[in-house]
Amino acid sequence: MRSELFAESNYEVEAAGTFVRQNSKMMKIELSQGNVKALAGSMVAYQGDVQFEHQGTGGFGKWLKQKVTGEGLPLMRIGGTGEIFLANNGADVHIIDLEGESISINGQNILAFSDTLQDDIQMVRGAGMASGGLFNTTLTGTGQVALCTDGPPLLLTTGEAATYVDPDAAVCWSAGLNIQVKADIGMKALIGRTSGEEFQLGFGGQGFVIVQPSENMRFGGPQDGGQEPGQEGPLGGLGNIFR
């Protein structure tokens, strides 16, 4: 039997480590190092004795944060022995090793992370409710995290001069940056069509920001400034509570 499908580049990647990138769209997790948390439904294959459990929010406080902010993910806890392969709708996969640091991540871009990491939903400093409220997932500790980006990412190094990013394109950034929201809300943003550029996040200080070449519509739809079905508005999940 002959086919380009049997090319060496398509074989499973055998490498040391818990999180192993298989190709640009898929990753493998070796479960011998302990449990992991992953986006529910992201499993595409596994080998061995693998168990899947629904991951709760971690108490009433986290549950309330998810409901109010719209941030957070349906997670599953994966344990057992063997290896599991994960992907998310053909998005590009990237792996970050945390060594005691903290990183702020758009929850919609998280694919999986080590159970050793502490996760929390926090309001982005400088982006209060006056700008609609912007909340991200913070991961802290020692472990690995796998991110998905909609296309090849751009790494921007921040410094004294502010770096401005569309909040819908911002994937993650180093903790400790000074953040401000630049808002330009006029009558055009409130009535009829908008440019979709009413908010920008400004990052200052030494660190980095990862930007993806698309917008996940956290602040509205691409054509008329309104929400697409199933998308949260600027207030995250807050509007859903009071409907």
Side-chain angles (χ1 to χ4, degrees), residues 91-152:
D92 292 345
V93 176
H94 314 274
I95 297 172
I96 299 175
D97 292 287
L98 293 179
E99 299 175 334
E101 306 97 340
S102 294
I103 188 171
S104 185
I105 307 172
N106 180 353
Q108 299 179 43
N109 294 94
I110 295 176
L111 179 61
F113 57 92
S114 304
D115 202 23
T116 55
L117 295 176
Q118 296 179 338
D119 62 291
D120 192 17
I121 297 173
Q122 298 181 351
M123 176 178 282
V124 176
R125 292 180 304 150
M129 294 305 294
S131 63
L134 182 59
F135 299 83
N136 258 22
T137 298
T138 300
L139 295 177
T140 304
T142 299
Q144 293 179 290
V145 55
L147 303 178
C148 286
T149 61
D150 188 5

Side-chain angles (χ1 to χ4, degrees), residues 10 22 28 32 47 53 60 99 107 124 127 141-142 149 153 161 169 182 206 219 232 234:
N10 291 333
Q22 297 296 291
K28 176 178 69 175
S32 59
Q47 295 177 316
E53 298 180 4
F60 178 76
E99 299 175 334
V124 176
T142 299
T149 61
K182 182 179 180 182
Q206 298 300 319
F219 281 102
E232 302 288 358

Side-chain angles (χ1 to χ4, degrees), residues 63-203:
W63 175 85
L64 183 61
K65 284 183 180 180
Q66 287 191 9
K67 291 299 182 182
V68 172
T69 65
E71 176 71 8
L73 290 172
L75 294 175
M76 58 182 176
R77 185 187 297 271
I78 306 172
T81 57
E83 52 193 24
I84 181 169
F85 299 85
L86 304 178
N88 186 13
N89 294 320
D92 292 345
V93 176
H94 314 274
I95 297 172
I96 299 175
D97 292 287
L98 293 179
E99 299 175 334
E101 306 97 340
S102 294
I103 188 171
S104 185
I105 307 172
N106 180 353
Q108 299 179 43
N109 294 94
I110 295 176
L111 179 61
F113 57 92
S114 304
D115 202 23
T116 55
L117 295 176
Q118 296 179 338
D119 62 291
D120 192 17
I121 297 173
Q122 298 181 351
M123 176 178 282
V124 176
R125 292 180 304 150
M129 294 305 294
S131 63
L134 182 59
F135 299 83
N136 258 22
T137 298
T138 300
L139 295 177
T140 304
T142 299
Q144 293 179 290
V145 55
L147 303 178
C148 286
T149 61
D150 188 5
L154 170 67
L155 172 63
L156 295 176
T157 301
T158 60
E160 294 182 2
T163 298
Y164 290 95
V165 179
D166 187 310
D168 294 322
V171 174
C172 66
W173 54 85
S174 50
L177 293 180
N178 299 317
I179 301 173
Q180 59 177 316
V181 172
K182 182 179 180 182
D184 183 15
I185 303 179
M187 291 303 293
K188 289 184 178 180
L190 300 175
I191 301 176
R193 292 179 174 271
T194 72
S195 67
E197 309 297 338
E198 285 72 45
F199 295 95
Q200 299 94 45
L201 282 180
F203 298 90

Side-chain angles (χ1 to χ4, degrees), residues 29 31 35-55 75-86:
I29 299 178
L31 294 173
N35 296 339
V36 296
K37 297 176 183 178
L39 176 67
S42 60
M43 184 273 293
V44 294
Y46 70 87
Q47 295 177 316
D49 183 16
V50 179
Q51 290 91 44
F52 304 88
E53 298 180 4
H54 171 72
Q55 171 64 37
L75 294 175
M76 58 182 176
R77 185 187 297 271
I78 306 172
T81 57
E83 52 193 24
I84 181 169
F85 299 85
L86 304 178

